[in-house]
Amino acid sequence: MKLDLDPHAPQSIVRRDFIRQLAAAGTAAWMTGQPKMVRGAGLQHPEAKADACILLWMAGGMAAPETFDPKRYVPFEKGLEVSQMLSTFPAIDTAVDGMKICHGLENIAQVMDRATLIRSAVQPDLGSILHSRHQYHWHTGYVPPQTVACPHIGSWMAKVLGPRNDVMPAFVNVGQRLEGVGESEELKAFTTAGFFGSEYGPMNLPYPEEAATSVKPPKGMDANRFANRDKLFRKLVDQSPHRDYMSDHQQQSLIRSMDNAYRLLSSKEREAFDITLEPKESYAKYDTGRFGRGCLLARRLVEAGVRFVEVTTEYVPFFQWDTHKDGHTTVDGLHKEMDLPIATLVKDLEEGGLLDRTLVIIASEFSRDAIMEGKPGSIANDQATFKVDRLEEMKHYGLHRHFTAGTSVVMFGGGVKRGYIYGETADERPLVATKNPVTVMDLHATIMTAMGISPKTEYLIEGRPFYVTEDGKGKAVTEIFA
């Protein structure tokens, strides 16, 4: 399907077109047959460096110059030209000589000796730079819309590698509401197993502190009543009018996903979902907000055998990392929410002997800039709330435009080098990647290679080949592996 979005059109029209095309692909997914792996055992998968993956998703556009790629620090001053504003936080030392990150991330700074820091990730403009389009691209590896519903990278891992523990879901998504927030339909479009089927989709847990209730039968329900309710629910699903619109594969996949859920609700492993069981001293280190508690839940789930966990700061338009105003003040608060939990997660995994075999990734859909939308030469609409040439108020201070030409990604564990920097961006604007640019396709190839999945992994769906990296052309950045 060819994308037909006018970059000059009003954002409401672009978004409406995008939703319509996504909905068509999503509906088609229910009618698809069983995907078949091409070449099967003949495909040469790399030796896995990691068994589990935790994606810490900074939803909304984490500005690299305010986090992991500090530039010249320019403090707030009334009347300062916006074009002179680069980093709004000073740089601090880390545990690695010569590697600096931004003030506010002091705890993460002390664990960067376990990390590879990629400073040269790049993204395309995609016509109009919508968060939902870039998030879809990052999470699936494909530019939307497509003629099929593309699987999330967590679903690829669930399908190709299977569960680490048969009782636990292979893919858990923590922290993102899919109802009642802006752009919810677009979020649902990539938070899915797509054509693989329901059994490989995510278990969605918007509130980590409520995760335990998701894996417990309702209060007062005994085992017999619980079993009877499960039978009745299956009967209702079988009689649903929507059943006629589902392929046999999708119907069977839905039933298997119900079997998996029933098995989990009947198991002891469900205690991993109850973060209140964590010792108080440990819990306090993660208790900085929903994201921090999500990091704690992720650690407990990986310990219990979950294959892939995504923890997000949550995407809500003009909230959190989507800093179209009050950028510096907002990011200062986000530093406080993410710093200690991420550092604690890395240390806890290491102390538990799991970090070497767990790939932990900090990433976002793109970076931000003070004056530039997209990248040099982009024709995308300027989406900053305040289009001012000089700083007059604190709400103007911060990086408010989307920037796709130089983004930071941090990786811990999972076979990556320790205390290593890959790529770089310019010291002065435009802050484009100037060395070793890494595309989304190659970043996916790198992640999949770490997990023991060939970037050329291919399935046939509706008679067409579909790859884990676009057209199977992703090239892993092997230089980052120890």
Side-chain angles (χ1 to χ4, degrees):
M1 181 182 292
K2 184 179 182 296
L3 182 66
D4 188 19
L5 297 177
D6 181 358
H8 299 294
Q11 290 301 301
S12 59
I13 295 176
V14 173
R15 181 173 177 266
R16 191 159 58 241
D17 253 5
F18 181 41
I19 294 173
R20 176 178 54 78
Q21 294 175 72
L22 283 178
T27 302
W30 288 100
M31 296 180 280
T32 56
Q34 182 174 1
K36 297 179 180 179
M37 179 177 275
V38 178
R39 289 182 287 179
L43 183 66
Q44 291 296 312
H45 288 292
E47 183 178 352
K49 299 169 178 61
D51 305 310
C53 180
I54 299 174
L55 171 60
L56 304 176
W57 184 248
M58 306 291 115
M62 177 185 72
E66 295 184 325
T67 51
F68 296 102
D69 193 7
K71 301 301 180 183
R72 175 170 48 84
Y73 168 58
V74 183
F76 175 79
E77 180 183 347
K78 190 172 182 179
L80 178 73
E81 290 184 13
V82 171
S83 61
Q84 296 302 307
M85 182 170 54
L86 288 176
S87 289
T88 68
F89 296 87
I92 60 172
D93 292 327
T94 70
V96 182
D97 289 342
M99 179 191 289
K100 295 182 182 292
I101 61 176
C102 286
H103 175 79
L105 302 178
E106 284 76 13
N107 289 289
I108 293 177
Q110 296 310 306
V111 297
M112 290 302 290
D113 57 345
R114 287 87 153 174
T116 280
L117 170 54
I118 299 173
R119 282 183 167 156
S120 54
V122 294
Q123 303 83 30
D125 273 6
L126 305 186
S128 269
I129 307 173
L130 300 177
H131 288 279
S132 46
R133 297 196 68 219
H134 279 271
Q135 291 191 47
Y136 187 108
H137 184 207
W138 201 102
H139 284 90
T140 69
Y142 285 81
V143 174
Q146 296 285 324
T147 54
V148 296
C150 303
H152 189 289
I153 60 170
S155 296
W156 275 99
M157 294 180 197
K159 174 68 174 177
V160 178
L161 301 176
R164 292 171 59 224
N165 180 337
D166 288 339
V167 172
M168 298 295 283
F171 174 11
V172 180
N173 189 48
V174 180
Q176 179 67 58
R177 290 169 291 171
L178 297 176
E179 299 290 350
V181 296
E183 302 184 23
S184 58
E185 294 307 311
E186 294 95 325
L187 291 168
K188 291 175 188 175
F190 65 80
T191 311
T192 172
F195 58 75
F196 281 147
S198 301
E199 64 193 296
Y200 301 106
M203 179 179 188
N204 291 310
L205 302 171
Y207 295 93
E209 55 274 14
E210 297 176 6
T213 63
S214 301
V215 293
K216 292 179 182 176
K219 197 171 184 179
M221 182 172 290
D222 61 28
N224 287 334
R225 187 180 170 201
F226 180 49
N228 287 335
R229 175 173 285 198
D230 180 62
K231 292 177 183 177
L232 177 60
F233 182 61
R234 290 168 187 273
K235 185 176 180 181
L236 290 172
V237 169
D238 189 59
Q239 295 174 348
S240 168
H242 297 295
R243 189 180 189 278
D244 294 336
Y245 299 100
M246 298 170 66
S247 68
D248 289 342
H249 163 66
Q250 292 290 344
Q251 291 173 29
Q252 292 302 314
S253 184
L254 179 58
I255 291 172
R256 285 192 294 270
S257 71
M258 292 164 58
D259 288 338
N260 294 341
Y262 185 81
R263 187 163 59 247
L264 173 60
L265 265 64
S266 307
S267 73
K268 179 176 173 53
E269 281 92 340
R270 71 186 190 196
E271 291 183 356
F273 291 83
D274 190 351
I275 61 175
T276 66
L277 298 177
E278 188 76 8
K280 288 184 179 180
E281 184 177 346
S282 175
Y283 186 97
K285 294 177 182 178
Y286 290 97
D287 192 21
T288 60
R290 274 171 66 197
F291 175 77
R293 292 187 289 274
C295 289
L296 171 58
L297 179 59
R299 193 212 77 209
R300 293 175 61 87
L301 294 178
V302 166
E303 288 172 343
V306 173
R307 174 76 66 187
F308 178 91
V309 185
E310 177 169 344
V311 184
T312 177
T313 53
E314 188 175 51
Y315 177 64
V316 178
F318 307 106
F319 184 63
Q320 300 283 67
W321 291 106
D322 194 12
T323 53
H324 291 271
K325 62 177 182 178
D326 295 314
H328 175 84
T329 302
T330 300
V331 171
D332 185 51
L334 287 164
H335 283 172
K336 293 179 174 64
E337 187 172 355
M338 68 186 279
D339 181 43
L340 183 57
I342 291 177
T344 304
L345 172 64
V346 171
K347 289 178 180 178
D348 283 356
L349 288 171
E350 187 173 58
E351 289 173 8
L354 291 174
L355 185 61
D356 284 347
R357 301 294 297 182
T358 303
L359 180 64
V360 181
I361 307 164
I362 305 173
S364 189
E365 62 263 40
F366 42 61
S367 183
R368 288 186 176 271
D369 186 82
I371 64 172
M372 188 179 301
E373 193 79 27
K375 58 185 178 183
S378 173
I379 59 172
N381 292 329
D382 186 345
Q383 298 180 44
T385 303
F386 298 104
K387 298 175 177 65
V388 296
D389 295 325
R390 295 178 182 275
L391 303 182
E392 298 298 332
E393 302 177 62
M394 193 66 184
K395 65 185 178 183
H396 301 151
Y397 187 52
L399 306 185
H400 302 315
R401 271 83 169 180
H402 305 156
F403 188 68
T404 58
T407 306
S408 291
V409 176
V410 186
M411 295 182 176
F412 298 92
V416 303
K417 291 178 181 175
R418 290 171 165 249
Y420 181 65
I421 298 175
Y422 184 82
E424 62 184 35
T425 54
D427 291 331
E428 296 290 333
R429 186 173 285 111
L431 304 176
V432 299
T434 55
K435 182 180 179 182
N436 297 328
V438 180
T439 63
V440 172
M441 180 167 62
D442 290 346
L443 184 62
H444 272 217
T446 306
I447 293 168
M448 292 301 176
T449 295
M451 297 299 296
I453 299 173
S454 169
K456 297 183 181 297
T457 300
E458 174 187 5
Y459 280 81
L460 277 181
I461 181 69
E462 298 300 299
R464 64 167 280 193
F466 201 94
Y467 299 83
V468 69
T469 62
E470 190 172 359
D471 296 330
K473 294 180 180 178
K475 303 285 187 185
V477 183
T478 56
E479 293 93 329
I480 75 167
F481 294 118

